[in-house]
Amino acid sequence: EGLTQRFHRVIALDFLGFGFSDKPRPHGYSIFEQATIVEGLLRHLGLRHQRINLLSHDYGDTVAQELLHRYEHNKTGSILINSLCLSNGGIFPETHYPRFIQKLLKDGGLLSPIILRLMNFFFFSGGLGAVFGPYTQPSQAEYWDMWTAVRNNDGNLVMDSILQYINQRKKHRERWVGALMSTSVPLHLIYGPLDPVNPHPEFLQFYKKVLPMSTVSVLDDHISHYPQLEDPTGFLNAYLNFINSF
């Protein structure tokens, strides 16, 4: 809601395999395809020639990095990026520590479909709660909402395919980290420092070393992997301060 008061238009989408979008299987889910979907959506909405401010989180960070690469290399159909704000996500493979279940699913082979079919709400909410801060845990109702979105269109059965993005990040590191290093687009990071997946201070020190031209907002010590949900006011203020700085 805070974004809609500042911007003429705000667009939020469920990527393929997420939320209430289609969840085809079998399907080779890839960051490249998701980036093409974003481009197609903006073209469909008649925004091909508008400058876009990208705000991303986690999986979306990597999609944004691919969109940035295409923009910087003047690829046909690429979107015009006015600014990019990243938040907690595995931007650098070397400072990214996937949860055990993620590693198991992405590399589990024939085991993965069995695990996915055994997964239930309590298993799901327990795993998700581990990457929220101690004072910012979702309510039971919010967990059920998230689980409902995951289960929609049997989305729980494509998790192992979607998790291949972790391997894709390693394979295409030079392309995606390189896009951030070479860009002239205003760049910002909003970071929840209690994140076990991208831990403090290791992740932040590496980020500042590799991307010294980027500005950074670090939220309160107890904010973890989902800063936009755990501290929406702090997140919004950090983002608007960035947007108003250029």
Side-chain angles (χ1 to χ4, degrees), residues 20 121 124 139-151:
F20 297 98
F121 169 76
F124 168 80
S139 67
Q140 280 293 104
E142 288 169 328
Y143 275 130
W144 276 110
D145 284 346
M146 295 176 196
W147 179 236
T148 300
V150 167
R151 287 298 304 267

Side-chain angles (χ1 to χ4, degrees), residues 13-196:
L13 71 148
D14 284 332
F15 289 123
L16 192 71
F18 288 77
F20 297 98
S21 283
D22 286 349
K23 296 169 179 177
R25 60 184 170 93
H27 184 74
Y29 290 87
S30 80
I31 295 296
F32 298 103
E33 181 183 39
Q34 304 286 21
T36 299
I37 286 170
V38 175
E39 292 172 342
L41 174 63
L42 293 177
R43 194 163 57 245
H44 174 73
L45 295 174
L47 301 174
R48 255 301 283 292
H49 305 295
Q50 297 290 321
R51 300 197 73 80
I52 306 293
N53 296 295
L54 287 181
L55 173 57
S56 64
H57 174 256
D58 198 340
Y59 185 92
D61 287 348
T62 313
V63 179
Q65 287 169 261
E66 171 59 20
L67 289 167
L68 186 65
H69 174 86
R70 296 180 187 187
Y71 169 66
E72 294 291 355
H73 291 80
N74 295 314
K75 299 286 188 195
T76 303
S78 63
I79 64 175
L80 303 176
I81 300 175
N82 191 53
S83 70
L84 172 56
C85 181
L86 306 160
S87 59
N88 292 59
I91 299 163
F92 311 110
E94 46 276 75
T95 61
H96 181 239
Y97 299 91
R99 309 303 287 170
F100 173 72
I101 187 65
Q102 291 181 308
K103 290 190 277 190
L104 192 62
L105 288 173
K106 78 179 177 69
D107 300 324
L110 294 174
L111 262 182
S112 297
I114 299 168
I115 297 167
L116 290 173
R117 280 173 167 78
L118 292 174
M119 186 181 291
N120 60 28
F121 169 76
F122 301 100
F123 187 69
F124 168 80
S125 57
L128 197 58
V131 292
F132 277 83
Y135 313 118
T136 52
Q137 290 285 311
S139 67
Q140 280 293 104
E142 288 169 328
Y143 275 130
W144 276 110
D145 284 346
M146 295 176 196
W147 179 236
T148 300
V150 167
R151 287 298 304 267
N152 187 65
N153 288 334
D154 289 329
N156 55 308
L157 302 182
V158 302
M159 280 184 183
D160 54 339
S161 302
I162 288 173
L163 283 166
Q164 295 309 310
Y165 76 89
I166 297 172
N167 297 333
Q168 291 167 26
R169 280 173 172 167
K170 291 178 181 174
K171 182 178 180 181
H172 302 290
R173 182 202 183 280
E174 299 310 311
R175 177 186 180 99
W176 291 335
V177 175
L180 297 173
M181 292 173 68
S182 62
T183 189
S184 56
V185 166
L187 195 59
H188 191 68
L189 170 74
I190 303 175
Y191 179 57
L194 199 61
D195 186 358

